[in-house]
Amino acid sequence: MTAHRKDTARPAEPILALDDLGVVFTTESAQVPAVRGVSLEVRPGETLALVGESGSGKSTVALAAMGLLPGNARVTGRAAVAGTDIVGADEAGLSRLRGRTVSMVFQEPATALDPLTRIGKQITEVIRNHHDVSAREAAARAVDLLRRVGIPEPERRAAAYPFQLSGGQRQRVVIAMAIANDPALLIADEPTTALDVTVQAEILDLLRRLAAETGTGVLLVTHNMGVVADFADRVAVMYQGRLVESGTVEDVLLRPTHDYTRRLLAAVPRLEVALPDDGAAANALTKPVPGTRTTEPPREKGRTPAAQEGTPVLALDDVSVVFGRGRRAVRALDGVSFLVRPGETLGLVGESGSGKSTAARVALGLITPNAGTVSLFGTDLAHSRARARRRLRAGIGVVLQDPVASLDARMTVGECVAEPLRVHRRELSARDRRGLVEDVLERVRLPRALARRAPGELSGGQRQRVSLARALVLEPRLLVADEPTSALDVSVQESVLEVITELQDELGFACLFVSHDLAVVQHFARRVAVLRGGRIEEQGPTGETLLHPETDYTRRLLAAAPVPDPVVQRARRTERLAALAAGRTEGGA
């Protein structure tokens, strides 16, 4: 039992109760069962984590509990929230329930926010839909919510549009909307997917405090086992639409009984940390991602391995990027310099808003820097002609953070993947293009038949793999990957990283790998650069930089990264909170 759960002589009535829940989707060709006989409960103040691979049915369970399943879904069994039956309820009754009694944090903030409405107004609408308060009171409440979820300058951000915020900031806005009316049940579908480790830790602290103070029950849908270890009281494991194992977080993560659960946990990348007093304890937490390179031995920081000497595939030299003018100007990058050499992977890590994605877009030529130079394959982009830049960009593959935004919903999967071929390989026949598309789909562990389906018919993990296939279809010299595994469960993440590694060894392309998952970066990238506020805090060989960081900022990043052991993670959380409290005390002294 965790510290925030209260002991009572008689257990409280469940805030969420599912009894033999079944969901079948009707498609043009078949009846597809997505959920089969699921029964579970969430009680006030309790967090139940629902875990499983992409397509296991966990998100369908969450949508069923909200009454948000599409019209082609047939639901059987019972789903009740706060004693109100969801199955068979009319839309008016569900509307009164949603946003007040039960709220949901969706997986993809880009689809949950209105791009044409200011952030503050979207939050005030949620508040005023359920409470008779003035616009001014609701606006003040919206600013306070933005402050609670850790968004800097909340008054200014309330006046911003979603596109003006980073991916992590948009996710925090979605969480602010979900908790706006202090719901009895919060359904969180991958709530920390787009967040860096420090903000993720803050959000989990916030949700933990909400559960403790208000008795809110939480159904947490996630593939992040570190988050499960840090936040959940109980765990339910789903496989092919069924519950295969459930129990306390300690029992399921430390003593799993089902073979599927064991395989799922075996695929989790473990962050290697340096513990001065007990090296054995550190080793017990580590496990390289299968198929990826192990961390490099310590080298002098800033030096490039001899095997990688030569003309850099990508070079940023003293690059600065400023958005806006005057008092509204934001310096996204400030004197950033780094190299990526042939066959090498450089990991870019840092908090949301640190400049990671901006640096990636500068590398792609999508943003022209205000100062400094960008060289691609030895050519200065600023001094090359349009036709030459087009040829250079044909050598780059791109995997963006949000697969929904990067895939055209009007196209089939095959058409999405073939688009770079139509642009840069016009000499290919339709038959040749089709063959290359089917081959690359298989390389990313997707069946060829998927080429005929629409992106909207796929799970989040499948869409991300389609994005990867699209990036690799031209066999690029440089792969720019912006959070390429953020939407993937651990087993799919493992296979995708294996694919990238195999193809990198085969084709020799370089990789600029932007991620907030320090464990993946540690085992996948040869070198790492840590960004903070648009500046590079430190950079060097991954093994040395992450095991023996030179700056307090990097040490705080590592301390905030959760590990998938609930006992160890509880101790790490206690140490982190103590360090934060000590820092605040010193700052106020």
Side-chain angles (χ1 to χ4, degrees):
M1 183 174 292
T2 58
H4 70 255
R5 197 190 301 175
K6 299 177 182 178
D7 286 319
T8 56
R10 180 180 178 184
E13 290 299 314
I15 194 68
L16 171 66
L18 306 182
D19 185 15
D20 197 28
L21 181 72
V23 179
V24 177
F25 291 105
T26 301
T27 67
E28 293 181 359
S29 57
Q31 300 284 314
V32 181
V35 176
R36 309 167 189 243
V38 169
S39 298
L40 56 83
E41 293 181 345
V42 179
R43 297 185 181 277
E46 176 187 59
T47 297
L48 172 67
L50 198 58
V51 302
E53 290 179 298
S54 177
S56 64
K58 56 187 189 296
S59 291
T60 302
V61 168
L63 290 173
M66 287 282 291
L68 290 175
L69 289 172
N72 67 331
R74 179 169 57 86
V75 185
T76 58
R78 182 172 184 262
V81 174
T84 299
D85 287 331
I86 302 298
V87 179
D90 59 42
E91 189 59 34
L94 290 174
S95 295
R96 289 191 295 271
L97 201 69
R98 298 183 195 130
R100 182 161 188 170
T101 303
V102 54
S103 290
M104 189 166 188
V105 179
F106 291 95
Q107 182 175 355
E108 293 161 344
T111 61
L113 296 173
D114 183 347
L116 303 179
T117 304
R118 297 181 190 273
I119 294 299
K121 185 176 181 181
Q122 294 191 54
I123 300 175
T124 60
E125 286 177 352
V126 173
I127 297 170
R128 300 190 74 191
N129 280 343
H130 297 282
H131 296 281
D132 185 16
V133 297
S134 68
R136 177 175 294 182
E137 289 174 313
R141 167 73 170 160
V143 170
D144 181 61
L145 285 163
L146 292 177
R147 185 179 293 109
R148 285 180 66 192
V149 298
I151 290 184
E153 301 179 277
E155 293 85 357
R156 187 162 72 91
R157 297 299 186 186
Y161 292 95
F163 73 87
Q164 295 174 304
L165 306 184
S166 69
Q169 289 171 335
R170 287 195 293 268
Q171 189 74 320
R172 281 179 275 176
V173 170
V174 171
I175 293 172
M177 293 170 68
I179 66 174
N181 295 311
D182 296 324
L185 174 67
L186 182 66
I187 300 176
D189 188 356
E190 303 288 2
T192 60
T193 292
L195 304 181
D196 60 76
V197 290
T198 54
V199 176
Q200 173 180 271
E202 292 167 1
I203 291 299
L204 293 178
D205 290 341
L206 170 65
L207 295 177
R208 191 180 295 108
R209 190 164 60 250
L210 177 71
E213 293 174 354
T214 67
T216 299
V218 181
L219 177 65
L220 173 69
V221 180
T222 185
H223 61 259
N224 189 323
M225 295 300 178
V227 169
V228 172
D230 190 35
F231 186 51
D233 299 307
R234 294 188 297 115
V235 183
V237 183
M238 290 194 68
Y239 178 60
Q240 295 184 346
R242 300 183 186 276
L243 280 183
V244 296
E245 182 167 1
S246 63
T248 66
V249 65
E250 290 85 359
D251 283 342
V252 174
L253 295 193
L254 300 181
R255 296 174 291 275
T257 59
H258 198 277
D259 286 343
Y260 173 71
T261 309
R262 295 193 190 99
R263 293 198 305 271
L264 200 63
L265 292 170
V268 178
R270 311 295 173 105
L271 180 66
E272 187 175 352
V273 293
L275 299 181
D277 297 327
D278 189 359
N283 292 334
L285 294 176
T286 65
K287 185 185 81 66
V289 181
T292 62
R293 299 174 179 83
T294 56
T295 51
E296 293 294 302
R299 293 188 180 95
E300 182 182 347
K301 292 201 175 188
R303 294 295 298 273
T304 304
Q308 300 297 327
E309 294 294 347
T311 302
V313 170
L314 172 67
L316 271 65
D317 183 16
D318 200 25
V319 167
S320 294
V321 173
V322 179
F323 296 123
R325 296 180 180 178
R327 290 183 299 176
R328 292 183 176 271
V330 176
R331 187 169 290 272
L333 294 180
D334 188 3
V336 168
S337 300
F338 60 75
L339 303 175
V340 186
R341 299 191 181 274
E344 177 185 61
T345 297
L346 172 70
L348 288 184
V349 302
E351 293 176 299
S352 176
S354 64
K356 305 187 301 294
S357 294
T358 300
R361 283 160 174 75
V362 167
L364 293 169
L366 299 177
I367 295 175
T368 302
N370 299 82
T373 59
V374 181
S375 297
L376 189 62
F377 313 128
T379 301
D380 187 344
L381 283 180
H383 295 92
S384 59
R385 296 184 177 181
R387 183 174 297 178
R389 286 198 297 271
R390 180 188 177 96
R391 287 197 301 269
L392 291 172
R393 287 171 180 162
I396 307 176
V398 186
V399 183
L400 298 177
Q401 182 176 354
D402 187 353
V404 172
S406 62
L407 299 175
D408 193 330
R410 298 167 297 180
M411 294 182 176
T412 66
V413 166
E415 289 169 339
C416 289
V417 176
E419 190 173 19
L421 295 172
R422 290 195 298 270
V423 173
H424 297 290
R425 298 283 302 278
R426 296 178 181 177
E427 75 280 5
L428 293 175
S429 67
R431 181 177 181 179
D432 290 338
R433 284 199 304 268
R434 187 164 55 251
L436 290 173
V437 167
E438 291 176 348
D439 287 345
V440 77
L441 287 175
E442 287 192 341
R443 279 177 162 177
V444 298
R445 311 289 197 264
L446 291 173
R448 291 178 175 228
L450 214 65
R452 297 188 293 273
R453 296 175 64 181
E457 298 176 7
L458 309 184
S459 68
Q462 288 172 324
R463 285 196 294 266
Q464 194 74 318
R465 280 181 282 171
V466 170
S467 296
L468 178 60
R470 187 174 186 270
L472 296 177
V473 73
L474 286 173
E475 297 188 351
R477 296 170 63 188
L478 171 66
L479 180 69
V480 177
D482 189 354
E483 303 285 4
T485 60
S486 64
L488 306 181
D489 60 73
V490 290
S491 57
V492 177
Q493 172 183 267
E494 181 182 45
S495 67
V496 167
L497 292 174
E498 285 177 351
V499 168
I500 296 176
T501 302
E502 291 169 3
L503 293 177
Q504 189 173 27
D505 289 340
E506 176 187 340
L507 303 175
F509 61 78
C511 182
L512 180 63
F513 191 85
V514 180
S515 180
H516 62 259
D517 192 327
L518 297 179
V520 169
V521 169
Q522 186 179 61
H523 295 292
F524 183 68
R526 180 180 294 276
R527 291 189 302 115
V528 63
V530 182
L531 276 79
R532 179 189 186 189
R535 295 175 177 266
I536 289 186
E537 190 82 357
E538 61 179 305
Q539 64 176 312
T542 305
E544 181 182 356
T545 304
L546 295 186
L547 274 177
H548 307 287
E550 292 181 344
T551 67
D552 288 339
Y553 176 72
T554 306
R555 285 190 281 270
R556 289 200 301 272
L557 280 181
L558 292 166
V563 297
D565 182 315
V567 177
V568 173
Q569 180 55 29
R570 195 173 298 124
R572 282 170 58 83
R573 183 173 71 240
T574 300
E575 292 174 2
R576 178 181 61 83
L577 293 175
L580 287 174
R584 285 193 292 266
T585 301
E586 292 176 3

